Amino acid sequence: MITSGQRAKLRSLAQNINPIFHIGKNGVNDNFISDILTALEAHELIKIAVLKNSLYNAKECMEEVCSATHAEPVTAIGNRFVIYKRSTRDDVQHIEL
């Protein structure tokens, strides 16, 4: 569990990143979760956009993705959300919280 201060730091870092995944009308499936886990191992902090044709909103998708990946929710604003998970790899530059 991250604190509100850590969450604020992660929100400020996320302002400069672009969404690397888009959730459409198919929603969240196993292949999508696998891709997200790979991205979290490489980047630790990722932004995901929910397309307008999706049946879900950003908050619902964030909850589903976080529960499936055991990531921490950072923020959900509009049609985008940010999640964080500390990488287990040693060759990744870790975000200091």
Side-chain angles (χ1 to χ4, degrees), residues 58-81:
K59 197 163 215 140
E60 292 170 340
C61 289
M62 181 176 68
E63 291 170 0
E64 186 173 348
V65 169
C66 286
S67 68
T69 60
H70 304 290
E72 294 288 337
V74 176
T75 188
I77 297 176
N79 67 336
R80 297 173 187 215
F81 64 93

Side-chain angles (χ1 to χ4, degrees), residues 15-86:
Q15 287 180 352
N16 299 323
I17 62 175
N18 293 320
I20 59 174
F21 292 106
H22 294 84
I23 298 175
K25 62 182 177 182
N26 295 333
V28 178
N29 57 31
D30 293 338
N31 292 334
F32 188 73
I33 294 297
S34 174
D35 291 343
I36 288 176
L37 284 169
T38 303
L40 284 169
E41 279 295 316
H43 302 289
E44 293 188 345
L45 185 70
I46 61 172
K47 187 182 285 187
I48 302 171
V50 180
L51 300 176
K52 292 181 181 181
N53 67 348
S54 176
L55 303 174
Y56 308 99
N57 64 32
K59 197 163 215 140
E60 292 170 340
C61 289
M62 181 176 68
E63 291 170 0
E64 186 173 348
V65 169
C66 286
S67 68
T69 60
H70 304 290
E72 294 288 337
V74 176
T75 188
I77 297 176
N79 67 336
R80 297 173 187 215
F81 64 93
V82 179
I83 59 174
Y84 167 79
K85 183 176 183 182
R86 184 155 178 90

Side-chain angles (χ1 to χ4, degrees), residues 2-19:
I2 57 177
T3 66
S4 61
Q6 293 169 331
R7 192 176 316 273
K9 180 177 181 179
L10 291 171
R11 272 196 310 265
S12 70
L13 291 172
Q15 287 180 352
N16 299 323
I17 62 175
N18 293 320

